[in-house]
Amino acid sequence: MLGVPRLLSGPLGHGQLLPRNRALWTASRYSPLRTHPSATAPNGKRYKTKEAGDNKTGHIEAGPNEGIFFLSNVFPLKLNFTMRLPFIDAEKFLPGVMKRLKNPEHAAADPQNIAERALPSSLPIHVTKILPRVAEGGAFVKFSHEPQNNLEDLEKAIKKYLKENPIKPWFNPFQRVRTNLVQGRPWVEDLYRVPSSRLKVEFVPASPGQTAEELSQETLYSLFRRYGKLIDIKPQPTDSKDLPKFAYLQYNKARHAIMAKNCMHGFVLPASEGGGNTGTRLKLVYQQTKKAHWIWDWFSSHPRIVIPILLAFFGTVTVAIFDPIRTFFIKAHVTRTFHITDNRFYKWLRSQASRATDVLKLSRKKPEDAGLSAIWDDRKDDIKQIQTWLKESADTFIVIQGPRGSGKKELVLDQALGGWKNTLVIDCKPIQEAKGDSSMIFAAAVEVGYRPVFSWMNNISSLIDLAAQGTIGTKTGFSETLDAQLAKIWQNTANALKQIALDGRKKDDKDSDLGDDEYLEAHPERRPVVVVDNFLHKSQEYNVVYDKISEWAAGLTTANIAHVIFLTNDVSFSKSLSKALPDRVFRQITLGDCSPEVAKRFVINHLDADADEGGGPEKKPKPSEMREDLAELDDCISTLGGRLTDLEFLARRIKTGETPKKAVREITEQSASEILKMYILDSNPRKWSPEQAWLLVKSLAHAESLRYNELLLSDIFKSGGEATLQALEQAEMITIVSSNGRPTSIKPGKPVYSAAFKQLTEDHVLKARLDLAILSELIKIETQGIDKVEAELCLLGSLPGSPKQTKGRINWLLGKLYAGQDKVEKYEKESGALKKVLQQEY
């Protein structure tokens, strides 16, 4: 075909023969289609054909003895997205790329060849211009013909030729190239519009000022069926007032709609064929079959399908992606992988620096370490006991109980676990004090190194669940409760601890044939240690956190994954832990206050911690030996007690130059102010009243302990007395001593509180004010009792005939009335004396 001569017309002369090759076309650098030399401007220069039409007017005109064919399937239709790519001229780029990708084995690989082969050489036409339509996958072929030639006959000849000699491009080998004669005035715009199988046909007047006729479905079918299979024709709704009038044509394929649009756009239907008085012009545009946001509309209209799919997707992503990452970070947190203090290079630098300071005698022992050495000497049996329990193969569930400031954490972490490799410390205090579920989840994640954590998703998922409930009528389960979120954190932590315990296992070990559970049971030294600090802190407010931790810790010890040590101030810890391990006995150590001898040694060691040893022949005296006021230390310690925090505070004050008596006096005054602020004068809602707290202060100021049941018999504690005492114990104002599992006595929460209570009662104005409040409460209680007695006496007096059976009850009520009134008068008399004190003293 490429070598067959072809008859052309134009300035070269009628009937001139030229070889049919690429010299027939003029184009840009990348365009494979070129115009005939006759397609020149008046100045003799050739011009390029563009997708914007002649002179970028958007139209391609056909003059007398000229016609236009539209060829389809010349370019890949699926590549129209290149029209939107930046810095790329698809009009030039795509034809050039396809020309480079042509396969020599396929004759129709080049779009230029497709256009050349589509027109038979025997056809009496002269091609003057080819306009590629990359976005529509075709090309316009403009030609001239002899006056005696009929355009319809030429169209039939080309269609017959293409049917007998089908051309199938390489990019679409299942469909052949088709062509039709352009009937109208095609609009060859280069806008960013994607072809579709749906066309909108607008009916406009053939000339301005005239009216157009709305064509019937039969007329539209006869005009457009020739271009492909029509699925449906939808006229404009009768109630629509949109102008111009229109109709929708739905083809079964997009290429059929492209052919119809390019051949029939601008076609004028004459009046003789139903086009109205002056004819009707047809304007065609593509109508997208997929409306905007159809994906979102489908999602929002099918919540019963979409929400479970989203839940499954997010769950899969969480388990498959985030859970291994979180387990990795938990392991790094426990093994201290990213802690610089455990780095070998850092340790080497620190050892070198310590040697240099030793040479210069600049090394100092921390005062806290020096002072605590005396405590550890006194508690070495407890330290050895903990270490022995950790080496046993049985499940280890240890509880260290003691008041705040008794050194529980230092005893376990610094002494008992000093050489233990993998230790996880979980502080319950920040978790319990967090405000809101999201903050609580984040605090729990921080304690174990659980990251990434999306605590804010808990609030969002709750809103989604609420919206879904309003949409589909039931909850989706997308939001999770606090205990479910905490369970996930603890479960990931348990997996990480088990992997840590099994990390050192080798295939050539003598017990390599054992399973994981049997191996962990046989090697307790491989298990990590979990230390739960501040257990049951503010447990009366919210107990979910402690229940989950107890269950999780029980699972760790039962499965031999880790040793668990609880540090708590609460003496009632067994109630909470027994829920998780009802059939186990806890290993328990109770830490109390130091003895006076150990307390004195602690203070003296703390004072001597910074003393230089001296390098000369004469040894310098220690600071404790140079102070004469340390003779007061025995009396001061008996007042202060053996609480470590108070002893350390005392030692620091003495080191600053204060005498022991002055330091103890300052500590006592500070404790008295703390008691007033926290337990008596605080206006925040609490579980005790100021009168109840002051009654305890007065009673404990003159006695070392109080009988628990005797206090409950007092009028102030008759209503909810046990709950009040437990709340005061949680607040660390008092300590309840138990014997044989029942409370027996009440003591001050800290040893220094005894002196503080006594100091508070020596303030006459404060004592008078608070005693007056107690008397007012007692008067109120007695008045309420008298009212009840009087009401019952009135009821009995209203009985007819005054029965003899009521005489005993009436006498008893009269006795109660007399005793109550006697108490009221007594309280009123005492109140009057206290009011005089308030009126006379400051």
Side-chain angles (χ1 to χ4, degrees), residues 388-407:
T388 302
W389 285 337
L390 294 177
K391 293 178 182 178
E392 294 179 0
S393 59
D395 51 340
T396 310
F397 206 82
I398 305 172
V399 180
I400 311 296
Q401 190 275 328
R404 185 167 59 94
S406 57

Side-chain angles (χ1 to χ4, degrees), residues 501-520:
L502 297 173
D503 275 347
R505 192 176 184 186
K506 299 180 181 179
K507 294 182 179 180
D508 54 352
D509 290 342
K510 59 180 181 180
D511 50 4
S512 58
D513 56 331
L514 296 177
D516 291 344
D517 296 338
E518 292 81 2
Y519 177 83
L520 292 175

Side-chain angles (χ1 to χ4, degrees), residues 50 85 87 126 145 211 237 260 312 351 444 488 503 517 554 558 593 603:
K50 294 288 186 180
L85 295 178
F87 310 111
H126 314 286
H145 60 89
T211 58
S351 63
K488 282 186 178 181
D503 275 347
D517 296 338
T558 305
D593 296 326
V603 175

Side-chain angles (χ1 to χ4, degrees), residues 383-653:
I383 296 171
K384 289 182 179 179
Q385 182 63 67
I386 296 173
Q387 293 175 343
T388 302
W389 285 337
L390 294 177
K391 293 178 182 178
E392 294 179 0
S393 59
D395 51 340
T396 310
F397 206 82
I398 305 172
V399 180
I400 311 296
Q401 190 275 328
R404 185 167 59 94
S406 57
K408 300 183 295 296
K409 188 173 182 179
E410 294 80 3
L411 175 74
V412 173
L413 296 180
D414 298 338
Q415 301 302 313
L417 300 179
W420 209 270
K421 186 177 180 181
N422 300 316
T423 304
L424 174 62
V425 181
I426 300 176
D427 191 354
C428 299
K429 185 175 181 180
I431 303 176
Q432 186 71 3
E433 292 182 349
K435 304 298 182 182
D437 291 353
S438 298
S439 301
M440 195 170 290
I441 293 169
F442 181 77
V446 169
E447 291 299 319
V448 299
Y450 180 94
R451 61 175 65 90
V453 55
F454 307 112
S455 57
W456 48 270
M457 282 294 293
N458 194 50
N459 295 333
I460 296 178
S461 59
S462 299
L463 295 177
I464 294 175
D465 202 4
L466 184 62
Q469 185 178 8
T471 304
I472 63 179
T474 59
K475 287 188 176 182
T476 62
F478 187 74
S479 61
E480 294 181 334
T481 58
L482 174 64
D483 56 348
Q485 295 278 0
L486 292 176
K488 282 186 178 181
I489 296 176
W490 305 136
Q491 182 60 40
N492 277 282
T493 306
N495 296 335
L497 292 173
K498 187 173 184 179
Q499 293 179 17
I500 292 172
L502 297 173
D503 275 347
R505 192 176 184 186
K506 299 180 181 179
K507 294 182 179 180
D508 54 352
D509 290 342
K510 59 180 181 180
D511 50 4
S512 58
D513 56 331
L514 296 177
D516 291 344
D517 296 338
E518 292 81 2
Y519 177 83
L520 292 175
E521 184 177 1
H523 294 274
E525 74 281 355
R526 303 292 306 174
R527 306 177 205 164
V529 178
V530 178
V531 179
V532 182
D533 193 16
N534 287 315
F535 185 67
L536 298 181
H537 172 74
K538 293 185 178 180
S539 59
Q540 69 277 9
E541 297 179 1
Y542 201 68
N543 211 26
V544 174
V545 176
Y546 298 119
D547 290 342
K548 301 305 295 184
I549 291 179
S550 301
E551 295 174 4
W552 173 67
L556 292 180
T557 56
T558 305
N560 294 316
I561 294 175
H563 307 287
V564 181
I565 301 177
F566 286 93
L567 309 179
T568 180
N569 307 332
D570 198 330
V571 295
S572 60
F573 63 88
S574 58
K575 296 180 182 179
S576 179
L577 295 180
S578 297
K579 298 178 183 178
L581 287 175
D583 56 343
R584 302 297 173 92
V585 178
F586 309 130
R587 313 275 180 85
Q588 179 181 351
I589 292 178
T590 302
L591 298 181
D593 296 326
C594 302
S595 61
E597 295 79 10
V598 176
K600 182 177 180 180
R601 194 149 36 105
F602 172 84
V603 175
I604 292 175
N605 291 346
H606 202 285
L607 294 176
D608 296 339
D610 291 338
D612 292 333
E613 297 181 359
E618 296 183 359
K619 188 175 181 180
K620 297 179 63 175
K622 296 181 179 179
S624 60
E625 298 174 353
M626 298 173 60
R627 299 195 56 153
E628 299 178 356
D629 53 7
L630 290 184
E632 308 169 355
L633 201 57
D634 292 334
D635 294 336
C636 294
I637 288 178
S638 63
T639 303
L640 194 63
R643 191 64 54 88
L644 290 183
T645 51
D646 296 333
L647 292 174
E648 186 176 355
F649 194 21
L650 172 65
R652 289 179 177 176
R653 281 185 169 273

Side-chain angles (χ1 to χ4, degrees), residues 77 80 193-200 249-251 253-258 261 285-290:
L77 191 59
N80 50 31
R193 293 183 177 177
V194 180
S196 67
S197 59
R198 185 181 178 91
L199 292 175
K200 180 180 181 182
L249 303 177
Q250 180 68 51
Y251 282 94
K253 293 182 180 180
R255 290 193 181 273
H256 296 166
I258 293 172
K261 186 254 184 187
V285 293
Y286 296 115
Q287 189 73 20
Q288 296 298 323
T289 56
K290 297 178 182 179

Side-chain angles (χ1 to χ4, degrees), residues 789-799:
V789 171
E790 290 176 344
E792 189 173 352
L793 286 172
C794 290
L795 179 63
L796 293 174
S798 63
L799 294 176

